[in-house]
Each structure stands twice: as C-alpha cells, then as structure tokens.
Amino acid sequence: MSNKEPSFTTPYLSFSRQQWAALRDTVPMTLSEDEIARLKGINEDLSLEEVAEIYLPLSRLLNFYINSNLRRQAVLEQFLGTNGQKIPYIISIAGSVAVGKSTTARVLQALLSRWPEHRRVELITTDGFLHPNAVLKERDLMKKKGFPQSYDMHRLVNFVADLKSGATEVTAPVYSHLIYDVIPDGDKIVQQPDILILEGLNVLQSGMDYPHDPHHVFVSDFVDFSIYVDAPEELLEDWYINRFLKFRKGAFTDPDSYFHHYAQLSEEEAVNIATQLWKEINWRNLKENILPTRERASLILSKSANHAVEKVRLRK
C-alpha cells in the first residue's frame, strides 16, 4: 500500500491581485481619497488603488449575488402567492484580531450603499454580543475575551434569526473599545436593511466550535456570503503590536480608557506587554478558534505587507 497522502481538489478558484483587479470591469470608483482615509483603521494603509483593485471587484461580485438572491425570493413569493417580507442579505467578515476586518467592513458598506440600487447597508460588529465584563469576571473569562465562551451566542443567533425571519425591528448591543465593555442600555436599533454586514472573530463558527451548547443553530447558518481576511501570523503579530503602540499614544491617553495605565509605559515596556497579550490571548484564539474556520468562507482575502491583498480565493 502507498503511504502517499491523498490529494484533494480545492473548492476554491484562486486569483492573483492582477487577475482579481481585472474583474472590476467598468465599475466606477464612488469613493474619494478623503472618504477612504476616513474609512481605514488606525494601523492600516488603505489606498485608492487597494479599493479599486480589490474592493470594487468584490462589490461587483456581491451585487450579482444579491440580485440573484432577490430573484430567488421573488420566485418563492410567486409560488406561494404572497407579498414576502423584506429579508436582508447577510455578509459576514471574519479573521484574526488586527487583520483589518473593520476596515474591510466599512469599505464594503460604503461601496455597496452607492450602487445605483441605493440599498441600505447596516454594519454590526459581534463585539457587542460579548458578555459584559462583570459576567466575564464572574466566570473567570477576562483573559479569554474573544474566545467562543465569552459571547452571548444565544442573543447573537436570535439577532440574525429575527432579521432573516423578516422582523421589522431588532436590537443589537454596542461595544465600546474605550471602556472595553458592552455599553449599558446602548442598544442599536436595526430596521430591515437591504444588506447587513456582520463583522467579528466568531461569525464563521458552527456547532463543532460550541460542543457544550445544546442549541444546534449558529450565526453561520443565516449568512449568505462569508469573507475571511487572512494574513501570515508574523504579520498579524507585528500589526497587533504596532496598533497597541499607536493606541498607547492615542486612545489610551484618555482618562476614561480601560487601558489608561498603559499610556505611561515606555516603548520597550509597551512592546513587551503587547507581545505577551498577543501570545497568551490573541494568538491562542487565532490558532484554536478562528483559523480553523477559514476554509468555511465563501471568499478568502490573503494579505501581505502594508495590508495589501495579494491573493483572492473564491469558493466555486
């Protein structure tokens, strides 16, 4: 018998940056350089070229999928003889801490809302569905913030399930990075958007990631199109540390910041603490819970230096 590993065909089509950029076709640029500057994260380079070559083709693809989904809904309504409820198209964006998920989400929200159809696009982050710090402390989970057990998964699943059922109004809790906690009574009202972008570490997780959960329905069951933003681990660590250093000079200087005590650190101390936080919490969460979900995504954006996407993989 041969000891060779079996070879599997990939379920993905792979595109170089140049091949993907050509799929923009004639889609016009609808964002100015000033708008792009406002959309990028604290530690990211986001150029007009990046939006044109990566995100415009992606918004074109998503527009095709959304139109197809609307046609399918119309067929069902015709079959049933009903005027159906407004059901949003849900796009999820997953990936490691510091990979740039939030920027990807904001750019897609801006682009998709500017298509000629003028669709209403809501953006929700799953950070709001973390258990409050008081609960995490009680359960000794503060050092596992972002791990599956730190989320109120029942509330998150109910949120997306209600949207997909056509509910006219649902509420989502809001997280503050300043106070490092869910804002009490700070819920955001979401009223039947055309598109919902759901961004977070856990949006691709399924039943196997919650073995002790008696429920069998998960966020991923309600998502129409999923994106995983990927990058090599050494870049992720660098980006995380650099972001921490920028926060140290910026957000951490606010006396109300949960991390205000870090503002007084020397650069060397700050690098050491950021490295420790990365290795003990974020790297572990990446390896154990986030990276294993990558191959479930509809599309994978692979980044290289300067947050530039160098390869795109699209599920066939």
Side-chain angles (χ1 to χ4, degrees), residues 196-222:
L196 177 82
I197 298 174
L198 190 64
E199 177 255 307
L201 303 172
N202 58 339
V203 290
L204 281 168
Q205 288 165 358
S206 66
M208 66 184 73
D209 305 298
Y210 297 89
H212 306 300
D213 195 313
H215 291 73
H216 301 290
V217 181
F218 297 89
V219 172
S220 51
D221 296 322
F222 298 98

Side-chain angles (χ1 to χ4, degrees), residues 157-206:
V157 169
N158 287 339
F159 170 76
V160 289
D162 287 348
L163 278 171
K164 275 297 190 183
S165 72
T168 54
E169 188 174 287
V170 294
T171 59
V174 177
Y175 188 83
S176 165
H177 287 277
L178 179 70
I179 64 170
Y180 195 59
D181 203 352
V182 179
I183 301 172
D185 304 316
D187 288 4
K188 177 178 180 177
I189 296 171
V190 180
Q191 296 175 309
Q192 290 190 310
D194 299 298
I195 302 166
L196 177 82
I197 298 174
L198 190 64
E199 177 255 307
L201 303 172
N202 58 339
V203 290
L204 281 168
Q205 288 165 358
S206 66

Side-chain angles (χ1 to χ4, degrees), residues 131-138 142 145 175 179-181 258:
H131 287 296
N133 285 354
V135 174
L136 296 178
K137 286 172 184 171
E138 183 185 313
M142 281 299 283
K145 210 168 189 181
Y175 188 83
I179 64 170
Y180 195 59
D181 203 352
Y258 182 87

Side-chain angles (χ1 to χ4, degrees), residues 2-195:
S2 169
N3 289 325
K4 280 179 68 177
E5 288 286 324
S7 61
F8 298 100
T9 54
T10 173
Y12 289 96
L13 299 166
S14 188
F15 302 87
S16 68
R17 185 182 176 94
Q18 291 72 25
Q19 290 169 326
W20 183 255
L23 295 170
R24 171 185 173 181
D25 199 20
T26 56
V27 175
M29 172 61 74
T30 53
L31 296 176
S32 68
E33 290 202 44
D34 285 346
E35 287 171 314
I36 289 169
R38 288 196 294 271
L39 290 170
K40 71 178 183 178
I42 189 171
N43 194 42
E44 292 172 54
D45 293 311
L46 179 69
S47 62
L48 201 63
E49 179 186 43
E50 188 77 3
V51 174
E53 296 186 356
I54 301 301
Y55 294 105
L56 279 179
L58 178 52
S59 73
R60 177 173 176 248
L61 172 68
L62 286 167
N63 206 47
F64 280 133
Y65 276 126
I66 292 162
N67 286 336
S68 174
N69 188 65
L70 289 170
R71 288 194 296 271
R72 193 162 59 247
Q73 284 185 26
V75 166
L76 182 60
E77 288 165 24
Q78 186 178 3
F79 173 69
L80 297 172
T82 59
N83 287 318
Q85 295 165 301
K86 188 174 178 183
I87 310 295
Y89 188 88
I90 298 183
I91 300 165
S92 68
I93 302 176
S96 170
V97 167
V99 76
K101 298 183 299 300
S102 298
T103 297
T104 295
R106 288 192 295 268
V107 171
L108 283 179
Q109 180 185 29
L111 290 174
L112 290 171
S113 64
R114 294 189 186 193
W115 276 80
E117 293 83 0
H118 298 296
R119 296 192 175 109
R120 199 156 57 83
V121 189
E122 282 278 9
L123 170 57
I124 295 290
T125 68
T126 63
D127 289 346
F129 294 90
L130 285 160
H131 287 296
N133 285 354
V135 174
L136 296 178
K137 286 172 184 171
E138 183 185 313
R139 298 180 185 178
D140 196 23
L141 289 174
M142 281 299 283
K143 287 192 174 179
K144 287 204 165 184
K145 210 168 189 181
F147 284 62
Q149 59 267 47
S150 66
Y151 288 92
D152 185 347
M153 285 307 298
H154 300 291
R155 185 169 183 187
L156 177 54
V157 169
N158 287 339
F159 170 76
V160 289
D162 287 348
L163 278 171
K164 275 297 190 183
S165 72
T168 54
E169 188 174 287
V170 294
T171 59
V174 177
Y175 188 83
S176 165
H177 287 277
L178 179 70
I179 64 170
Y180 195 59
D181 203 352
V182 179
I183 301 172
D185 304 316
D187 288 4
K188 177 178 180 177
I189 296 171
V190 180
Q191 296 175 309
Q192 290 190 310
D194 299 298
I195 302 166

